[in-house]
Amino acid sequence: MPPFGPIKRKDMIRTLRSLGFEGPYSGGKHQYMIKGELKLYIPNPHGSEISRVLLSRILKQADIARSEWERI
């Protein structure tokens, strides 16, 4: 159950996988994950946590509600 806030990249990837995403795959400047027709670009590893603002943008692109994210 990840809280809605700063999160480590590997924890975000683990949670996205539990929501049905596959990957991450390499491509271009960023890696991406796939679920059906949706291609979700994820931030590159950079040593710090993914901020709450960036997590919000990623979840919006993935069409994942905050309540669904916190329920996992």
Side-chain angles (χ1 to χ4, degrees), residues 19-70:
L19 291 168
F21 282 85
E22 298 175 1
Y25 302 106
S26 296
K29 294 181 180 180
H30 293 275
Q31 292 183 330
Y32 60 92
M33 298 183 79
I34 296 177
K35 181 178 180 182
E37 299 279 325
L38 178 65
K39 189 183 230 184
L40 180 67
Y41 288 94
I42 58 174
N44 291 324
H46 48 62
S48 62
E49 294 183 333
I50 295 169
S51 72
R52 181 182 180 123
V53 173
L54 183 54
L55 177 60
S56 175
R57 284 192 228 155
I58 292 168
L59 295 180
K60 186 174 182 179
Q61 290 174 5
D63 197 27
I64 299 171
R66 179 179 173 173
S67 58
E68 183 179 1
W69 178 261
E70 292 178 333

Side-chain angles (χ1 to χ4, degrees), residues 1-2 7 9-21 33 64 68-70 72:
M1 288 181 264
I7 188 169
R9 183 178 186 271
K10 69 177 184 172
D11 293 337
M12 183 188 72
I13 290 171
R14 184 181 317 121
T15 305
L16 288 171
R17 283 185 183 149
S18 72
L19 291 168
F21 282 85
M33 298 183 79
I64 299 171
E68 183 179 1
W69 178 261
E70 292 178 333
I72 297 299

